[in-house]
Amino acid sequence: ALGSLASCSTNIGLPRAAEAYLLASRAADGDDRLDLERLAAEHFLRSGRIDDGMRVARRVATALGADLDASHGRVLGKITLERVRNRWRGLTIARARAPSEARRADACLSLSSGLTMLDAVRAAWFTSRAVRHALDGGNPSQAARAIGYDAALLASRGAGQERRVHDALAQARAFAAQARDREAPALVELATGVVALLAGDYRAARVRCDQAS
């Protein structure tokens, strides 16, 4: 079902794609259901159907062992814990692929993408989790995407994050260079453009975003 719906958002638009993913999820179970629900949540949220998106996002978060309704204070604590864990673990990618970890990373990235414009704190929580799952999943393309997203959200915190953002983007580029697709380098360029925009360097932001496209 997921493969046949892969181009849904391009062909019929975000809201109808979300409905299609959600409908397909009702006939699926296990990992396939998680994949379809996380795509439905992401598309609903990005299209502005917030109530529908949050309803599905809560189910996805529950499947990940996360409480989407936790207070901001608790979520900030969880972000700190995840980032400490990631620094302690290091940004070394697993040698063997782990599909279950990769699926969890995809789910976290979908929630982060959908929540970014609504709740940057919760988006950062799921992005920091995505970094861990992507590295454990052993997929360089996915790791590049997760670390690039995390760098952009770090940059949104303002001054004092420059070194960490720089190091994260460098690592994301290294993983993108290992990936066997064009999407990973483009996503890292886009993240770099967002970082430049947040720093007020509009010319660099435009150049990076043009390169991403």
Side-chain angles (χ1 to χ4, degrees):
L2 187 57
S4 65
L5 291 171
S7 60
C8 223
S9 59
T10 300
N11 294 334
I12 63 176
L14 291 174
R16 291 182 62 192
E19 292 168 358
Y21 285 127
L22 185 59
L23 181 62
S25 75
R26 293 170 182 160
D29 54 25
D31 289 339
D32 287 339
R33 183 169 191 144
L34 177 63
D35 262 339
L36 291 162
E37 286 190 335
R38 60 102 177 167
L39 287 166
E42 180 180 2
H43 283 64
F44 275 135
L45 290 169
R46 288 176 57 198
S47 68
R49 287 182 49 180
I50 307 304
D51 290 343
D52 291 328
M54 291 302 292
R55 187 159 42 248
V56 184
R58 285 186 179 91
R59 293 205 295 270
V60 175
T62 298
L64 295 171
D67 179 6
L68 200 58
D69 295 315
S71 69
H72 271 205
R74 286 187 62 195
V75 172
L76 287 169
K78 291 178 181 295
I79 293 170
T80 300
L81 178 62
E82 284 291 343
R83 287 185 170 154
V84 168
R85 180 184 292 171
N86 287 339
R87 285 198 295 273
W88 178 80
R89 179 200 182 283
L91 296 181
T92 303
I93 196 166
R95 292 185 180 182
R97 295 291 179 97
S100 63
E101 290 292 333
R103 285 180 184 271
R104 292 172 78 83
D106 277 337
C108 287
L109 287 168
S110 283
L111 292 181
S112 177
S113 174
L115 291 168
T116 294
M117 300 304 293
L118 303 173
D119 190 332
V121 173
R122 283 176 171 76
W125 177 24
F126 286 107
T127 302
S128 61
R129 284 194 56 167
V131 170
R132 172 165 54 91
H133 292 306
L135 292 171
D136 289 343
N139 184 330
S141 178
Q142 192 179 53
R145 181 185 176 198
I147 295 170
Y149 273 29
D150 199 42
L153 285 168
L154 273 173
S156 72
R157 295 170 61 182
Q161 304 299 321
E162 293 84 0
R163 180 56 184 270
R164 291 175 64 191
V165 170
H166 177 272
D167 290 348
L169 288 173
Q171 185 62 69
R173 288 191 196 96
F175 284 134
Q178 298 175 32
R180 297 180 180 179
D181 60 57
R182 296 181 179 180
E183 183 179 4
L187 288 170
V188 174
E189 286 297 328
L190 181 60
T192 305
V194 171
V195 169
L197 179 65
L198 291 169
D201 190 344
Y202 304 119
R203 179 174 296 179
R206 180 174 180 179
V207 169
R208 293 290 189 175
C209 290
D210 284 345
Q211 290 174 345
S213 63

